Amino acid sequence: MITLSNITELTETNEAIQKVKRDYPSLFEKLAEVVNLTRAFQFQFQYMGSLIMNEDPGQSAPNFVYGSVLRLYKKEVQKLKDHEDAQALQQIFSECRHTGYAKISLLILGKNPESLVGASSIK
């Protein structure tokens, strides 16, 4: 998925993420774990976002992955979705959809908004 982001959108998204980090530390910690797991498994961030938002992952679903690895990953995503404050996360993903799941994930990992300005096909 190609997204085009401007600095204002990225800054607003980053502020929303920082608010979750401040107001819901255990939710943010679990979210960071899932983002890092997504990166470690080399799955697309679009796939992660689709699972969190109960969307069809379409082309972003991983291919040629052991069933046990996929089950483990989905179990960790489900733990995140079952968190008592998960609605705060889903609200950010919904409101900041135009930013794209990949850039949201990179902001969660600590990238600064200025480094993510412009077109991106990060998955």
Side-chain angles (χ1 to χ4, degrees), residues 31-121:
L31 173 60
E33 288 174 8
V34 169
V35 170
N36 280 310
L37 191 60
T38 303
R39 188 176 227 183
F41 284 158
Q42 298 181 355
F43 292 167
Q44 296 180 18
F45 290 126
Q46 180 67 31
Y47 178 64
M48 178 199 71
S50 296
L51 291 178
I52 290 170
M53 296 301 292
N54 299 314
E55 301 169 347
D56 177 16
Q59 298 290 338
S60 65
N63 296 322
F64 310 110
V65 177
Y66 286 113
S68 58
V69 171
L70 205 50
R71 283 190 300 278
L72 171 69
Y73 181 75
K74 287 182 176 181
K75 184 177 177 181
E76 291 303 312
V77 171
Q78 190 60 51
K79 286 180 188 176
L80 175 62
K81 290 170 58 176
D82 291 343
H83 190 281
E84 63 185 350
D85 298 314
Q87 78 286 345
L89 172 63
Q90 290 177 327
Q91 182 177 351
I92 289 175
F93 273 60
S94 179
E95 290 175 359
C96 301
R97 173 169 301 228
H98 56 277
T99 302
Y101 297 140
K103 289 184 179 180
I104 292 170
S105 298
L106 292 173
L107 289 169
I108 291 164
L109 291 173
K111 291 280 186 181
N112 70 29
E114 294 80 14
S115 70
L116 302 175
V117 174
S120 173
S121 61

